């Protein structure tokens, strides 16, 4: 009945968890939601003021399909200031979030017969979008033992004569791994010599906790500007998930192709959202740093709470706002046997919503978002630890031998 492509594409599992939590909440249950990959902060005042002004000025009609000129210029300017890369506004298209930026890019660049190399555990929409474009996603596995670092040699060795591009996400969702510039340089040199695309998903670019040089746009621009595509978003940096505003920056033909695709699908991003984004980009930037500091202290505090149970093996993330612990030590064939089942039971019994590793191609792990208040984190982790220690489907922690 449905098109053949739907045999391969499933609904987004990251959005699913939030829906389930909301459903349970409607029945009167007090749910702690660690599923949502979205900031709990409010949108900055500058964005809200600009949005209200746009409505009052009746700025409520179609805009140019690729976005208003002032916003495209503001985005290009941001990349000039942050990374020292030069793009004219015509090489920017405003999209409905980072998701549409990546979708347009995959549709514009990849098709049947092409392989696209990316990494796992990774954000599920990247591989699904490659499939929607008719191409084949090739995922390189990163390891907890390496802090989920994307080892450049693993990407390089996955390249074949059919590889048309590489999609990298740094800081990464769900691992929080931040790619060092030197690693990207190795991949870029190889990509440049083969003439393949490198697409960089920079959605979490302003959420980096450690002093890790992360001028990835410059690394690519210096080596292969004609094969570099940058995607980004207002969602995480400015707590603007619902406004749906992101962008693609790249060579003129790619941006034009994204514009053609968008002209037949969603047209322009909501005019009011575009003005709001312009307000945020042009307004006070203290909020960005303040949110980062708050995420950092939540990360540090919550990581300590987790260590109360040695069976939860946690790599402290360097970026984004997720923990991605290995919980395989809690699983057993006769008890809770998968992380998906664990997440289900945790929601039903302890009313804590988390996203199972299966969503990111990594069974045995959980994604726990710390884009939520410290009080919620404290209570949620307390419930999680209590669940682990009381469920009769989880092996008992062996008592420490007496000294
Ligand atoms: N990027 C967020 C997440 O991973 C939002 C959900 C989505 O759009 O997939 O949770």
């Amino acid at each position: 009945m449905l098109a053949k492509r739907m045999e391969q594409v499933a609904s987004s599992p990251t959005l699913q968890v939030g829906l389930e939590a909301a459903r349970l909440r409607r029945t009167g249950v007090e749910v702690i939601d660690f599923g949502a990959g979205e900031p709990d902060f409010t949108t900055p005042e500058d964005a809200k003021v600009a949005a209200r002004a746009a409505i009052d000025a009746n700025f409520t009609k179609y805009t140019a399909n690729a976005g208003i000129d002032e916003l495209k210029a503001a985005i290009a300017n941001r990349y000039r200031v942050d990374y020292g890369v030069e793009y004219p506004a015509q090489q920017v298209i405003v999209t409905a979030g980072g998701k549409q930026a990546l979708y347009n890019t995959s549709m514009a660049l990849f098709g049947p017969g092409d392989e696209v190399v990316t990494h796992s555990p990774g954000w599920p929409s990247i591989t699904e979008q490659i499939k929607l474009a008719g191409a084949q996603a090739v995922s390189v596995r990163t390891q907890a033992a390496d802090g989920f670092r994307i080892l450049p040699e693993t990407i390089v060795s996955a390249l074949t004569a059919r590889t048309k591009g590489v999609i990298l996400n740094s800081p990464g969702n769900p691992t929080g791994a931040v790619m060092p510039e030197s690693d990207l340089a190795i991949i870029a040199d190889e990509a440049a010599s083969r003439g393949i695309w490198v697409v960089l998903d920079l959605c979490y670019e302003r959420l980096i906790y450690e002093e890790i040089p992360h001028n990835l746009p410059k690394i690519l621009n210096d080596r292969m500007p004609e094969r570099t595509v940058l995607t980004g978003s207002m969602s995480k940096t400015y707590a603007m998930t619902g406004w749906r505003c992101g962008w693609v920056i790249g060579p003129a033909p790619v941006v034009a192709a994204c514009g053609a695709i968008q002209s037949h699908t969603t047209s322009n991003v909501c005019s009011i959202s575009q003005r709001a984004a312009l307000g945020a980009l042009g307004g006070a930037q203290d909020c960005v740093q303040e949110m980062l500091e708050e995420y950092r202290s939540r990360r540090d505090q919550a990581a300590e709470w987790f260590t109360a149970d040695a069976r939860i093996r946690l790599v402290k993330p360097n970026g984004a706002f997720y923990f991605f612990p290995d919980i395989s030590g809690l699983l057993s064939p006769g008890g809770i046997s998968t992380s998906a089942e664990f997440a289900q039971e945790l929601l039903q019994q302890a009313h804590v919503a988390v996203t199972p590793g299966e969503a990111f191609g990594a069974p045995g792990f959980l994604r726990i978002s710390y884009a939520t208040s410290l009080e919620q984190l404290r209570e949620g982790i307390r419930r999680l630890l209590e669940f682990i220690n009381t469920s009769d489907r989880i092996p008992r922690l062996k008592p420490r031998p007496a000294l």
Side-chain angles (χ1 to χ4, degrees), residues 120-122 142 147-148 171-178 315-320 322-324:
S120 108
T142 63
F148 295 107
N173 173 8
T175 64
V178 175
V315 178
K316 205 161 156 184
N318 288 328
Y322 307 108
F323 292 116
F324 198 61

Side-chain angles (χ1 to χ4, degrees), residues 294-309:
E294 178 61 28
Y295 289 133
R296 186 202 309 279
S297 72
R298 292 171 183 179
R299 177 196 67 153
D300 294 345
Q301 179 62 75
E304 243 172 64
W305 290 332
F306 275 122
T307 56
D309 195 310

Side-chain angles (χ1 to χ4, degrees), residues 116-120 122-123 126-127 130 137-141 150 155 158 165-169:
V116 184
V117 176
T118 185
H119 46 97
S120 108
W123 187 48
I126 291 181
T127 45
I130 294 169
V138 177
S139 279
V140 161
R141 184 67 198 230
I150 305 163
I155 296 281
V166 175
I167 304 182
L168 302 167
N169 170 221

